[in-house]
Amino acid sequence: MKHPPAPNKSPVGILIYICILICSASIEARPPNIVVIMTDDQGWGDLSINGNKNLDTPNIDRLADEGITLENFYVCQVCAPTRAEFLTGRYYPRTGVSGVSTGQGRLNYDETTIADVFKKAGYATGAFGKWHNGTQPPYHPINRGFDQYYGFTSGHWGYYFSPPLDHNGQRVRGKGYVVDDFTSKAIEFIETNKESPFFCYVPYNTPHSPMVISDRFYGKFRDADPEMRNRDPEEEDLMMTRAALAMCENIDWNVGRILAKLGELEIDNNTIVIFFSDNGPNSLRWNGDMKGRKGAIDEGGVRSPFFIRWPNEIPAGESIEEISGAIDLLPTLAELASIPAISKYPLDGRSIRPLLLGEARQWEPRPIFSIKNNQVSVRSQRFRLDNNGQLFDIEADRGQRRNVADKYPEIVKELSSQSRQHLKDMQSEFDKYRDRPFTVGYAKSTTLPARDGTPHGEIKRSSKAPNNSFFTHWKRTDDSITWTVEIGKSKEYEAILHYTCVSGNEGSTIQLSSTNGGATQTNILEAFDPPLYDKSIERMAQSHYFVKEFKAISLGTISLSEGRATLALKATQIPGDTAIDVHSIDLIQLD
């Protein structure tokens, strides 16, 4: 920072000069703010900066123009694992995460998160959007280092306009389109904490399905014939592509809102802004000729766009070719902010600060691994060895069209050995966490959603994907719904059931019982049968999402004893054709 010119030598002038110097030093010494924007199912190719002529993303493109692009940045093939790697700097199987639903996305509560690191250093911390690393305390974001949380903790949400959301563990109603709403809450957090360092995590939930987007953004694409298509154009679903492009332009508009607010508050020069996605695109659309999409551990499934901007500190408009990944962000951001990256467990990632600041005289090469169940793909600086033993020269063949294994047998041997060892190490981690109960009693209130329950008999889920589903088709008293839980504190709990009931089917007796505690029950005397949410602006021919309102009713008080148990929800009496549909149960500790 340049100092102001020396003043005249009058006492007043000298005093003013000293004050200016003190203020300048204070500004100069203030740690940088951090804004991390992560999108959901947005592919590397879903940006105009990466050559896609089907859409315009000027605000995200601006981050690239004003900062550094990591050309070979890798994430996981699906949502929760990437979030876990970003939050911890560790490969996701080590963290307890193994998948995306029915509890598989929970991040072990003894893991140190990036929010823990920054909060300990005096930062205000907030997260606004899709969490996907645990719902029940102590997995909830408020228990993971974040002072503020607003969003939803599930893997996806079934409706995007003013849906039920979570604010610091309390049920609230959203306001408007979710991405716009998350952005507004993030901006409020930035405004509140503008005078002190803050860490603001904005994990958007789009363009993940359902493909819901307003006419304001969809109108441009409604009848569009995309100029650029997937490498297998006959496999591309154009309705899905059009909706995804519209949702990506909405993301860009919201990124622009955040950048504008930083500029308005005059804190943009002292704020590090990062943008990346959690996995490859959620459909076959243009993605730079790369093989694979979301769910695949080829380039198209795990290569993410990545831009980082910090004016006057890192160069503008430059690119870095060295491979990097989500596991690198915790150590990198900590070092950029000059705070210790102290974690309970060893990190797999490394700080790329020397690359960003041009200080890397010699950068030691290393592999980056992608794992999906028992499949492993490994990326070196030049090559990718896929799970089938095929070797691709990514520098020359990003599309993985030419297997060069025969040409480089020694490379195959080396990467195969690394791949086998990684698989062995990660499988042992997966095995540790296959049987984890859901936690109850680690906070005043705990929610057990249908997502985490198990239906028995003829009870069905409302949708194939458990996330954001509810239980329906409850016709028999022999059927039940169970949750496997770990009770953290022996207490009396009030049980609140969220249900719907068709008119004429009132009168069912619903009982909640525990294998290590008591039981409680109530009669459903009031019908509540709202319609499904309006699906007219879901831009797909066929929807898999069914969402409606639910009514809360107290089941009474139940005594639960510390330890592992099974909670069972049963209908001991069903006088009508069906009993009820079930969304969730809240268990509230009583004083």
Side-chain angles (χ1 to χ4, degrees), residues 349-365:
R350 62 199 283 194
S351 172
I352 60 170
R353 177 184 179 275
L355 293 174
L356 296 173
L357 300 185
E359 298 172 352
R361 299 291 181 265
Q362 289 188 339
W363 185 251
E364 185 176 350

Side-chain angles (χ1 to χ4, degrees), residues 56-358:
D56 296 301
T57 52
N59 296 297
I60 300 170
D61 296 358
R62 176 184 159 198
L63 286 176
D65 292 338
E66 297 177 357
I68 285 179
T69 299
L70 300 185
E71 296 289 358
N72 293 291
F73 183 82
Y74 292 96
V75 294
C76 303
Q77 69 279 3
V78 285
C79 316
T82 293
R83 286 161 168 73
E85 294 193 353
F86 158 67
L87 288 167
T88 66
R90 289 159 47 80
Y91 282 117
Y92 75 90
R94 303 193 200 277
T95 72
V97 173
S98 60
V100 297
S101 195
T102 60
Q104 296 172 339
R106 286 175 293 170
L107 179 70
N108 286 336
Y109 53 77
D110 63 345
E111 290 282 343
T112 303
T113 71
I114 193 169
D116 291 325
V117 170
F118 277 86
K119 184 173 183 176
K120 188 175 182 180
Y123 276 66
T125 55
F128 308 92
K130 169 179 167 176
W131 174 245
H132 204 180
N133 285 127
T135 295
Q136 298 86 11
Y139 296 100
H140 191 277
I142 287 299
N143 306 105
R144 311 314 305 268
F146 288 100
D147 301 319
Q148 291 288 322
Y149 176 69
Y150 180 85
F152 62 87
T153 59
S154 186
H156 63 251
W157 222 224
Y159 192 70
Y160 289 169
F161 283 93
S162 302
L165 294 173
D166 177 321
H167 182 211
N168 294 342
Q170 301 298 313
R171 295 173 186 258
V172 297
R173 174 68 59 182
K175 184 178 181 181
Y177 191 63
V178 283
V179 177
D180 304 350
D181 194 14
F182 297 154
T183 303
S184 294
K185 292 297 189 294
I187 286 173
E188 289 176 13
F189 173 81
I190 290 170
E191 289 177 321
T192 299
N193 295 285
K194 63 184 178 182
E195 300 297 338
S196 58
F198 60 78
F199 181 91
C200 183
Y201 174 37
V202 192
Y204 291 142
N205 61 300
T206 58
H208 194 298
S209 58
M211 308 308 288
V212 174
I213 185 67
S214 67
D215 287 338
R216 173 185 173 186
F217 290 95
Y218 188 66
K220 170 181 174 180
F221 299 99
R222 187 185 306 276
D223 300 312
D225 182 13
E227 176 182 348
M228 305 182 76
R229 302 285 295 275
N230 183 262
R231 59 188 271 172
D232 298 313
E234 68 281 357
E235 300 293 328
E236 184 170 352
D237 181 338
L238 288 182
M239 288 188 69
M240 181 81 169
T241 296
R242 294 179 185 118
L245 295 174
M247 295 165 93
C248 289
E249 289 205 353
N250 169 264
I251 289 169
D252 183 79
W253 178 71
N254 279 290
V255 170
R257 292 175 62 200
I258 292 175
L259 299 182
K261 179 56 64 174
L262 295 173
E264 176 189 322
L265 298 174
E266 298 183 347
I267 57 174
D268 49 342
N269 284 342
N270 196 43
T271 301
I272 299 171
V273 180
I274 283 176
F275 177 92
F276 68 108
S277 180
D278 63 352
N279 46 246
N282 53 349
S283 69
L284 293 176
R285 51 187 184 263
W286 187 83
N287 198 30
D289 192 50
M290 286 185 284
K291 178 183 179 181
R293 45 162 285 186
K294 175 183 179 178
I297 52 176
D298 293 301
E299 287 285 298
V302 295
R303 185 190 180 201
S304 165
F306 186 96
F307 313 112
I308 178 170
R309 186 189 78 172
W310 189 11
N312 304 321
E313 298 293 337
I314 66 173
E318 294 193 5
S319 296
I320 291 174
E321 295 292 335
E322 282 81 359
I323 59 173
S324 56
I327 55 174
D328 298 327
L329 295 182
L330 188 157
T332 299
L333 290 173
E335 189 174 12
L336 287 174
S338 299
I339 63 176
I342 300 174
S343 176
K344 181 176 180 179
Y345 299 109
L347 303 184
D348 292 307
R350 62 199 283 194
S351 172
I352 60 170
R353 177 184 179 275
L355 293 174
L356 296 173
L357 300 185

Side-chain angles (χ1 to χ4, degrees), residues 359-397:
E359 298 172 352
R361 299 291 181 265
Q362 289 188 339
W363 185 251
E364 185 176 350
R366 45 101 187 235
I368 289 181
F369 299 96
S370 299
I371 185 167
K372 177 183 179 181
N373 301 320
N374 63 349
Q375 303 173 28
V376 174
S377 177
V378 56
R379 174 77 155 90
S380 69
Q381 184 58 46
R382 178 178 174 184
F383 295 98
R384 177 173 293 282
L385 182 76
D386 73 7
N387 183 64
N388 298 315
Q390 297 184 98
L391 185 71
F392 300 97
D393 183 349
I394 300 301
E395 290 184 354
D397 177 26

Side-chain angles (χ1 to χ4, degrees), residues 501-516:
C501 176
V502 175
S503 180
N505 287 339
E506 302 95 329
S508 293
T509 301
I510 306 299
Q511 179 191 77
L512 178 68
S513 62
S514 170
T515 55
N516 74 348

